[in-house]
Amino acid sequence: MKLSHTLTATSAVFDDPNLVSAAGLVPTMALAQRAGLGDLADAHLSVPTDKGANAGLKVTSLVAGMVAGADSIDDMALLRHGGMSRIFTRAYAPSTLGSFLRAFTFGHVRQLDAVASRFLLALSHLVGFVRPAPQVTQGVEDAVASGGFAFVDVDDTIIEVHGHAKQGAGFGYTRVRGLNALLATLATDTAAPLVVAQRLRKGACGSPRGAQRLVGDAVKQARRLLGDEYPVLVRMDSAYYGRDAVHAAITGGAAVSVTVRLDPAVKTAIATIDQDSWTTIKYPNAIFDEATGTWVSKAEVAEVPYTAFTSKKKADQIIGRLVVRRIPDVHASTKQAAGQGTLFDLWRFHAFFTTVPAQQLDTVAADATHRGHAIIEQVHADLKASALAHLPSGRFTANSAWLVLAVIAFNLTRTAAVLTEAPELVRATTPTVRRKLIHVPARVASSARRITLHLPQHWPWEQPWTHLFDRVADPPATASS
């Protein structure tokens, strides 16, 4: 491809008042309006003074900007170009939206959490995320294919910031200056992950801080979305292996699968596993082991009964299974030559504790299911490629509200992609959905009190876009007897 005219024979003028660059905001924000986002914000937010007036309109403005790709307050100006005022009313200026965010306190952030939770429930009722509880079968293929569990994955990530004006910024476990975002996602065998709970924390905090409440909130939200009969499995890494987070999941009626640290009690349990109990597994795709710098394509798994938190009082102890995966240590021959050929020098062990009964997930299936926890890293990357590329304010509470709004925009974009029913979009990342559905230019025309959007001819994703538009324009479902 090349230019049809040279630049000297080409001119560009920003003078068309009827053009918009993101026509995909029309069906997407119509979906948000139908789910009641603005009404929920008006009902639950009590931000004081004139800064908090018209909270519903300001929240929807911020979410619309994030859906269109805004990752800073100044980027919200994209809502006020060309013909946007003809298809949207009351799109606030970036300065007004910034003042609104800076007026938040921690209590207002929690109110916004309630808005996000109720908005996700409304979206689920519109789209139909809720399905009958499946029957859990033995074996990983059957368990995954039948949708044996809904997975709640919990993990945190560092959002890098710069400068010394950011409240709460610090150096955490990644040695990067930033703020710590703790997220919980919900995924099933048929649906891409949705964020069901979120919390912004100071950068230097430990990963388990506040995890008990967030895990409890996430399991409750999963129950609201899926019903009490759907089995839920909470997957976490070793940072959350503690009495508080694990008990929060179990109290909510979920099973747990959490990586454990190789403390003396765990090493003692591993040493009791008979050599004939190990089962060889082969990874579908080789896994890069950062500790040794090598690719691992096969391993061995085994399990042993295990009681977690034996140092606590008996009511806090949990009976379950310790599933162990081991891979050969690439330095084993060197250690043997030096006379160090002990069990933990010949093999490298990765263990996790689970309360799922063996008749539901056998050893191999439990190991494969637990490794699926890595899907939450894709959500972290997705958010950081969108609204969480920056935390735009110097105030911690404003950035906390920004995180919640980013989650609302993420879930809204995911729902819009599901409504297209296009296989390539249902599980696509947010930047992909934005490129194919949201960033569609259009010319706004009006006639006989109707607005017509003239979209590009031969747009490759015309059918999914049209299907989304038609689905959102459908009349509300009526109650049946």
Side-chain angles (χ1 to χ4, degrees):
M1 186 175 70
K2 66 178 182 178
L3 292 174
S4 61
H5 294 72
T6 63
L7 289 181
T8 56
T10 303
S11 61
V13 182
F14 289 87
D15 64 350
D16 196 324
N18 298 313
L19 289 179
V20 296
S21 64
L25 284 178
V26 173
T28 305
M29 296 313 297
L31 175 62
Q33 182 174 334
R34 189 166 172 180
L37 177 58
D39 294 337
L40 286 169
D42 283 331
H44 292 278
L45 285 178
S46 60
V47 181
T49 73
D50 62 312
K51 305 295 190 297
N54 300 317
L57 291 171
K58 292 174 181 177
V59 165
T60 52
S61 294
L62 287 162
V63 170
M66 291 177 175
V67 170
D71 60 17
S72 68
I73 295 174
D74 287 343
D75 286 352
M76 295 297 164
L78 62 83
L79 299 176
R80 294 158 65 88
H81 73 274
M84 292 292 282
S85 62
R86 299 186 61 185
I87 54 179
F88 295 103
T89 58
R90 305 292 296 275
Y92 284 90
S95 59
T96 303
L97 298 176
S99 298
F100 173 65
L101 289 174
R102 288 188 292 272
F104 271 67
T105 64
F106 177 74
H108 299 129
V109 175
R110 290 296 289 164
Q111 291 174 350
L112 194 57
D113 283 335
V115 172
S117 174
R118 287 163 174 78
F119 179 63
L120 181 57
L121 283 173
L123 288 176
S124 73
H125 293 153
L126 289 175
V127 178
F129 290 138
V130 180
R131 300 190 299 119
Q135 297 295 322
V136 181
T137 53
Q138 187 173 0
V140 63
E141 292 83 2
D142 293 336
V144 174
S146 68
F149 285 97
F151 302 110
V152 172
D153 293 295
V154 180
D155 202 1
D156 60 329
T157 185
I158 299 296
I159 304 172
E160 186 175 5
V161 300
H162 305 277
H164 298 279
K166 299 282 187 182
Q167 291 180 348
F171 294 92
Y173 56 87
T174 62
R175 299 182 181 180
V176 172
R177 181 183 179 85
L179 294 169
N180 186 300
L182 178 61
L183 300 175
T185 63
L186 173 66
T188 67
D189 60 312
T190 59
L194 297 168
V195 181
V196 292
Q198 63 285 321
R199 193 72 42 80
L200 189 68
R201 308 175 296 178
K202 66 179 184 179
C205 79
S207 293
R209 181 175 179 177
Q212 179 180 9
R213 170 173 284 188
L214 183 125
V215 170
D217 290 347
V219 173
K220 289 178 182 177
Q221 181 71 342
R223 289 298 184 200
R224 297 187 192 105
L225 289 166
L226 302 172
D228 293 336
E229 300 302 320
Y230 206 118
V232 175
L233 177 63
V234 178
R235 301 184 293 195
M236 302 179 284
D237 63 28
S238 60
Y240 306 96
Y241 178 65
R243 183 255 178 212
D244 293 340
V246 172
H247 268 270
I250 293 176
T251 301
V256 297
S257 180
V258 53
T259 305
V260 300
R261 295 176 288 275
L262 291 181
D263 57 27
V266 171
K267 287 187 176 182
T268 300
I270 293 175
T272 63
I273 299 176
D274 188 87
Q275 289 300 313
D276 295 332
S277 300
W278 294 97
T279 301
T280 301
I281 61 172
K282 186 173 180 62
Y283 297 131
N285 298 301
I287 296 175
F288 185 73
D289 185 2
E290 295 182 356
T292 61
T294 59
W295 291 89
V296 179
S297 60
K298 65 179 181 178
E300 296 178 345
V301 294
E303 69 171 81
V304 64
Y306 189 75
T307 301
F309 316 125
T310 53
S311 62
K312 307 290 184 181
K313 60 183 180 181
K314 191 168 184 179
D316 293 338
Q317 298 176 14
I318 303 174
I319 298 175
R321 305 152 59 198
L322 186 70
V323 180
V324 187
R325 182 175 69 255
R326 70 180 186 180
I327 60 175
D329 192 331
V330 295
H331 303 296
S333 58
T334 304
K335 294 177 179 178
Q336 283 181 315
Q340 301 176 359
T342 64
L343 174 65
F344 290 89
D345 290 325
L346 299 176
W347 300 91
R348 297 183 64 248
F349 293 88
H350 306 268
F352 65 91
F353 174 78
T354 181
T355 59
V356 179
Q359 61 267 28
Q360 291 185 333
L361 289 178
D362 60 24
T363 307
V364 176
D367 175 72
T369 300
H370 182 74
R371 281 189 277 116
H373 170 64
I375 193 173
I376 194 173
E377 300 294 344
Q378 299 176 7
V379 177
H380 291 165
D382 197 321
L383 287 168
K384 289 181 179 180
S386 302
L388 290 189
H390 303 96
L391 289 172
S393 179
R395 296 194 180 183
F396 181 82
T397 49
N399 288 327
S400 298
W402 184 269
L403 170 64
V404 182
L405 292 166
V407 166
I408 293 175
F410 174 86
N411 289 336
L412 176 60
T413 305
R414 174 64 55 212
T415 305
V418 170
L419 282 177
T420 66
E421 298 183 5
E424 70 273 18
L425 292 175
V426 170
R427 290 180 175 270
T429 62
T430 297
T432 299
V433 176
R434 188 184 306 126
R435 183 176 68 253
K436 297 180 178 181
L437 290 183
I438 307 300
H439 286 171
V440 186
R443 180 172 59 84
V444 184
S446 58
S447 176
R449 299 182 181 180
R450 291 179 58 87
I451 287 180
T452 301
L453 296 177
H454 293 275
L455 304 167
Q457 189 178 23
H458 305 307
W459 184 254
W461 303 280
E462 174 185 351
Q463 184 174 352
W465 197 99
T466 304
H467 191 76
L468 169 63
F469 188 91
D470 292 342
R471 281 293 306 274
V472 175
D474 286 343
T478 58
S480 57
S481 57

